[in-house]
Amino acid sequence: MATHRKPKLAVWKFASCDGCQLTLLDCEDELLAVAGAIDIANFPEASRAVIKGPYDVSLVEGSITTAHDAERIHQIRRDSKILVTIGACATGGGIQALRNFTDVKSYIPVVYAKPDYIKTLNKSTPIADHVAVDFELRGCPISKKQLIEAIVALLAGRKPQLPHYSVCMECKRRDTTCLAVAEGVPCLGPVTQAGCGAICPSYHRGCFGCFGPKELSNTESLSHWWQSNGMDNREIVRRFRSFNAYADAFRKESEAHE
Amino acid sequence: MSETKTASIASKDKIIKVDYLARVEGEGSLYVKVKGGKVKNVQFKIFEPPRFFEAFLRGRLYKEAPDITARICGICPIAYQMSSSQAMENAFGVKVSPGIRDLRRLIYCGEWIESHVLHVYMLHGPDFLGYESAIHMAKDHGDLVQKALRMKKLGNEIMEVVGGRAIHPINVGVGGFYRAPSKSELQALVDELQWCREAAIETVRLVAGFNFPEFDMDYEYVALSHPDEYAITEGRLISNRGLNIDVSEYEQFFEESHETHSHALHSAIKGRGAYFVGPLARFNLNFNQLHDEEKKLAEEVKCVPPINNPFKGIVVRSLETLYAVNESLRLIESYEPPEPSMIAITPKAGRGQGCTEAPRGICWHRYTLDDKGLIQDAKIVPPTSQNQKQIEKDLHQYVSQYIHLPKDQLTWQCEQAVRNYDPCISCATHFLKLEIDREE
Ligand code: SF4
Ligand code: SF4
């Protein structure tokens, strides 16, 4: 029996909206091909079936927000040859990391009548703060194209080819007029990592940074420009504090304006 | 395991723990306690870690609410975007134009198609056909799964064209859309919609032939209702037991409680308790407003109100998919890009409510704003928390009625009884752990 064993893929969820793992089911054209080439060993969103580890590739969605989850991720790391984090929650702490700028205890009574029942960590942290991560896919949500490229590349044993330049480059490629220059619309494109295909500017909307900071992003210069156009500090803080609020470059820039 | 064997274990042992899944992590579980042959306690537990949206929305600008609240659920972002946008408009006293309203209805139809097809074929259908997942099902029913994927893709495409992206669309805002799609962008969807219309009809016929467990309950259904249309984006809140209120009165009639065993709040009608939201509620309350085609098909497959068997939700979802396809065709046909695509807004201090029909039921929002449009206070009631009490009641009844079944079958059917409600996948019903404590 010299048949090749199919690689095993597992999908794991932490604090998140499920949007990133749904992206896998949204790859309608590729899903059955992917499912034919691998064993989907653990994917509760899609299947009741559970196959035991170890897994060749684990996709991890969501951020760590409970003590239990902080332990669970270590077991997943031990069970996975390649661990890929998917989305802003897993790579940057997600929207729920807004708690990191305050004391989460002040949040609990706002939402829950019986705060004592709620067990949560004070911070929402990315997976890489807890275990070694082999590869990161950015975005809130991730892009289908990038997900397919990552799965295909990792299964073939090569490094996925993903851009590290800014959303601006994608705008140029699409021939979208620069909203910031032409109309003075505040846009995070210059400091945000490419990957979405510059969707927002093509819908006449400034980028709001859902792919997180690109490498070496000059956030300071962008804030400076906004300030000279009359934006106040409170707004600058809000703009850097959304889905990637706790990603280093955005976090630092928002803190500088507090 | 045979029935007799189950029964003998039940009589010998005080407690049986049934651990069906290799892993017990996950966000949802189910606990059933049986004593002396009677169901004593049922807990549908949601372990989803709290994410505190209502807390961190405080201090954010009104405009940000549709983008932020979308992230509550990747499966039905439009519901959150629409309910929050309308709540803000309500607070500022703004009314959108009919063109914007139509475009909202269209993108919502996209979400209904996407979510219903996902549910019918990928989440719920495999239960009836006896598969672990749609992917397992594809081996024997390749064409069916291909067709389902194509239908789902169309729903996503509507959301992409109107909203810029299928998961967490970027084009939806308070007051309308950042940019209205052109006529030709929408026209490009028509051929595929026509194909999908046929596929949706076949789907209804297929799922109507499934085997449904005998199970009828006496429910209070709650849904939006509108004088002119099958309500999706607006209406009054009505029920089959006489409720008829404006969405702004919600809190006078509904209350939430916080149970120890779940991170999701339980919602109830004051003085009456559990209620049922979602497709079955809409269908039973607003059936007459479906198009003739859906009504005729419903009669053909013998699925007409009152439907009180929640397992038939899958047929109703399929009929609603056909409705959403026909409605999309109608809206595209008469479409003129609204000008402006977004109504200008001047913030003022106030309070506003919004409520729309998410694929799985009403999604209610309320915000209090200051004069700069900064959020002072937010309250969001998603569909799953509204159905939670009812889900537990169903399980109680179901297990009582089918206690004689072998435990693996009972477990699978209990999971299915939960899936009838299509709780947001964040509730992880595919990760159910069933524990049955049987005590004599
Ligand atoms: S990154 Fe965004 S889309 Fe992905 S799981 Fe987190 S909130 Fe959802
Ligand atoms: S343009 Fe910016 S905010 Fe818009 S989708 Fe792309 S990365 Fe996200």
Side-chain angles (χ1 to χ4, degrees):
Chain A
M1 289 241 294
T3 50
H4 242 49
R5 183 184 68 83
K6 280 196 206 169
K8 284 202 257 180
L9 176 88
V11 183
W12 308 96
K13 174 186 156 70
F14 291 85
S16 70
C17 81
D18 279 53
C20 286
Q21 43 175 321
L22 180 66
T23 306
L24 187 58
L25 296 178
D26 277 357
C27 297
E28 291 96 359
D29 296 332
E30 301 86 359
L31 187 67
L32 292 182
V34 170
I38 58 178
D39 270 333
I40 296 189
N42 182 52
F43 187 9
E45 180 166 314
S47 176
R48 295 176 87 242
V50 178
I51 304 174
K52 278 209 162 113
Y55 306 100
D56 294 280
V57 177
S58 273
L59 302 177
V60 180
E61 173 192 270
S63 67
I64 303 296
T65 61
T66 64
H68 173 66
D69 279 355
E71 281 172 29
R72 184 159 67 100
I73 188 63
H74 286 277
Q75 184 59 44
I76 292 171
R77 176 67 272 189
R78 281 194 289 276
D79 284 347
S80 314
K81 281 194 203 139
I82 299 172
L83 189 151
V84 182
T85 48
I86 57 171
C89 294
T91 61
I95 189 78
Q96 52 275 8
L98 288 173
R99 77 177 66 177
N100 299 8
F101 301 93
T102 171
D103 183 351
V104 78
K105 286 194 199 77
S106 70
Y107 274 10
I108 298 174
V110 174
V111 186
Y112 297 99
K114 296 176 185 159
D116 306 351
Y117 296 175
I118 298 301
K119 293 201 171 42
T120 185
L121 294 172
N122 207 23
K123 287 202 163 35
S124 163
T125 42
I127 303 298
D129 281 11
H130 300 263
V131 296
V133 167
D134 299 300
F135 204 78
E136 289 191 332
L137 283 180
R138 298 285 201 82
C140 179
I142 52 169
S143 110
K144 263 197 236 185
K145 248 176 77 188
Q146 292 201 346
L147 176 63
I148 296 287
E149 160 63 12
I151 293 177
V152 169
L154 292 169
L155 293 177
R158 66 172 170 85
K159 201 172 173 298
Q161 290 183 339
L162 300 176
H164 291 286
Y165 44 78
S166 73
V167 168
C168 295
M169 300 291 284
E170 297 188 303
C171 258
K172 302 289 163 295
R173 210 171 292 140
R174 275 180 91 133
D175 234 356
T176 307
T177 308
C178 179
L179 286 173
V181 172
E183 299 182 37
V185 172
C187 182
L188 275 167
V191 295
T192 299
Q193 184 173 301
C196 69
I199 305 173
C200 294
S202 80
Y203 277 81
H204 207 257
R205 170 174 198 188
C207 169
F208 50 103
C210 73
F211 271 65
K214 75 169 187 73
E215 270 173 12
L216 305 171
S217 59
N218 194 345
T219 50
E220 200 184 330
S221 145
L222 186 66
S223 300
H224 203 76
W225 189 43
W226 286 348
Q227 271 173 323
S228 63
N229 282 313
M231 193 187 289
D232 66 21
N233 275 329
R234 285 174 60 189
E235 185 171 350
I236 294 177
V237 171
R238 278 204 310 273
R239 286 192 182 267
F240 282 104
R241 275 190 198 162
S242 64
F243 317 107
N244 289 282
Y246 208 57
D248 245 14
F250 285 6
R251 175 178 61 77
K252 286 193 185 128
E253 193 58 32
S254 75
E255 282 168 349
H257 295 270
E258 242 175 340
Chain B
M1 185 178 290
S2 74
E3 272 177 43
T4 42
K5 201 163 166 206
T6 312
S8 67
I9 288 177
S11 55
K12 252 191 255 154
D13 299 328
K14 294 251 183 233
I15 293 168
I16 295 177
K17 277 195 177 176
V18 187
D19 207 8
Y20 264 92
L21 301 172
R23 299 187 163 275
V24 291
E25 271 101 22
E27 285 54 51
S29 78
L30 182 62
Y31 172 86
V32 181
K33 190 180 174 88
V34 180
K35 204 175 176 182
K38 283 218 160 61
V39 181
K40 286 285 171 217
N41 189 5
V42 171
Q43 294 179 350
F44 169 49
K45 306 184 200 181
I46 294 183
F47 293 145
E48 191 70 20
R51 291 168 79 214
F52 301 112
F53 279 84
E54 286 145 313
F56 59 62
L57 277 164
R58 293 186 172 187
R60 306 297 302 209
L61 189 63
Y62 73 94
K63 274 186 196 189
E64 298 176 294
D67 295 317
I68 293 178
T69 59
R71 269 67 183 183
I72 292 174
C73 173
I75 323 295
C76 51
I78 291 292
Y80 291 93
Q81 296 194 323
M82 291 291 154
S83 295
S84 58
S85 301
Q86 292 189 0
M88 298 303 175
E89 289 154 16
N90 178 248
F92 301 140
V94 170
K95 240 188 137 42
V96 299
S97 60
I100 292 171
R101 196 180 173 283
D102 280 0
L103 212 45
R104 285 184 167 174
R105 199 167 164 82
L106 177 62
I107 192 170
Y108 223 135
C109 284
E111 178 157 294
W112 275 26
I113 297 170
E114 190 277 334
S115 173
H116 279 356
V117 173
L118 177 78
H119 179 83
V120 167
Y121 281 104
M122 312 195 71
L123 308 182
H124 212 183
D127 282 333
F128 290 98
L129 295 167
Y131 293 91
E132 304 276 9
S133 77
I135 294 158
H136 294 85
M137 205 164 94
K139 291 190 187 96
D140 305 328
H141 301 280
D143 287 354
L144 199 63
V145 176
Q146 291 282 8
K147 190 195 289 167
L149 289 169
R150 187 168 160 192
M151 291 171 76
K152 186 163 99 55
K153 188 175 174 198
L154 171 69
N156 279 336
E157 273 168 2
I158 295 173
M159 292 168 79
E160 275 162 29
V161 172
V162 182
R165 179 162 67 188
I167 300 171
H168 306 325
I170 52 84
N171 193 27
V172 177
V174 180
F177 294 84
Y178 290 87
R179 168 171 82 73
S182 67
K183 272 175 104 149
S184 58
E185 280 176 288
L186 294 189
Q187 272 301 325
L189 296 164
V190 167
D191 285 352
E192 195 62 11
L193 274 162
Q194 254 139 13
W195 170 85
C196 195
R197 202 181 127 252
E198 294 301 324
I201 294 171
E202 282 174 48
T203 302
V204 172
R205 294 197 173 119
L206 173 81
V207 301
F210 287 168
N211 257 331
F212 301 103
E214 291 283 334
F215 187 68
D216 265 15
M217 291 272 281
D218 185 19
Y219 294 111
E220 176 154 10
Y221 296 109
V222 175
L224 287 174
S225 182
H226 190 274
D228 310 323
E229 61 195 14
Y230 196 72
I232 301 178
T233 55
E234 60 182 303
R236 286 175 70 78
L237 279 166
I238 65 161
S239 89
N240 52 327
R241 293 194 193 146
L243 187 82
N244 187 339
I245 59 169
D246 189 82
V247 298
S248 63
E249 298 172 288
Y250 181 89
E251 284 166 291
Q252 291 162 36
F253 292 86
F254 294 81
E255 63 190 349
E256 287 174 296
S257 61
H258 184 179
E259 311 284 332
T260 27
H261 66 265
S262 180
H263 277 174
L265 299 174
H266 280 52
S267 218
I269 298 183
K270 288 184 186 169
R272 294 215 282 273
Y275 61 102
F276 192 131
V277 303
L280 217 57
R282 296 191 288 253
F283 186 79
N284 280 322
L285 294 169
N286 298 324
F287 178 78
N288 281 330
Q289 289 166 316
L290 291 170
H291 307 114
D292 288 345
E293 182 168 50
E294 295 96 53
K295 281 190 260 186
K296 267 181 44 204
L297 190 59
E299 272 156 31
E300 178 199 311
V301 301
K302 301 198 171 47
C303 177
V304 287
I307 299 288
N308 293 317
N309 180 345
F311 290 87
K312 290 196 176 156
I314 192 167
V315 187
V316 172
R317 277 194 180 82
S318 307
L319 283 160
E320 279 198 342
T321 305
L322 177 62
Y323 174 80
V325 170
N326 279 329
E327 191 64 1
S328 302
L329 282 164
R330 186 187 70 81
L331 290 162
I332 291 173
E333 176 80 18
S334 61
Y335 178 71
E336 289 295 335
E339 185 56 57
S341 64
M342 191 176 267
I343 309 291
I345 279 171
T346 317
K348 61 174 188 196
R351 170 180 267 237
Q353 295 85 0
C355 184
T356 63
E357 286 284 352
R360 42 200 62 68
I362 53 169
C363 177
W364 187 87
H365 293 219
R366 184 208 67 210
Y367 302 92
T368 311
L369 301 146
D370 72 4
D371 55 355
K372 293 188 187 64
L374 294 171
I375 298 169
Q376 305 299 300
D377 174 65
K379 181 170 174 183
I380 299 168
V381 190
T384 297
S385 85
Q386 310 197 56
N387 274 335
Q388 216 181 327
K389 246 188 164 42
Q390 193 63 62
I391 294 175
E392 290 187 346
K393 283 186 89 172
D394 277 18
L395 286 163
H396 194 288
Q397 182 60 32
Y398 195 83
V399 176
S400 306
Q401 204 172 318
Y402 289 97
I403 197 134
H404 56 278
L405 286 179
K407 62 183 180 181
D408 49 352
Q409 203 176 326
L410 191 58
T411 303
W412 194 327
Q413 290 195 359
C414 283
E415 285 182 42
Q416 206 176 328
V418 175
R419 279 200 279 280
N420 285 334
Y421 289 82
D422 191 17
C424 298
I425 299 178
S426 312
C427 310
T429 49
H430 282 262
F431 224 138
L432 271 183
K433 176 194 174 200
L434 179 67
E435 289 176 52
I436 303 183
D437 283 4
R438 293 190 207 241
E439 271 182 38
E440 284 310 298

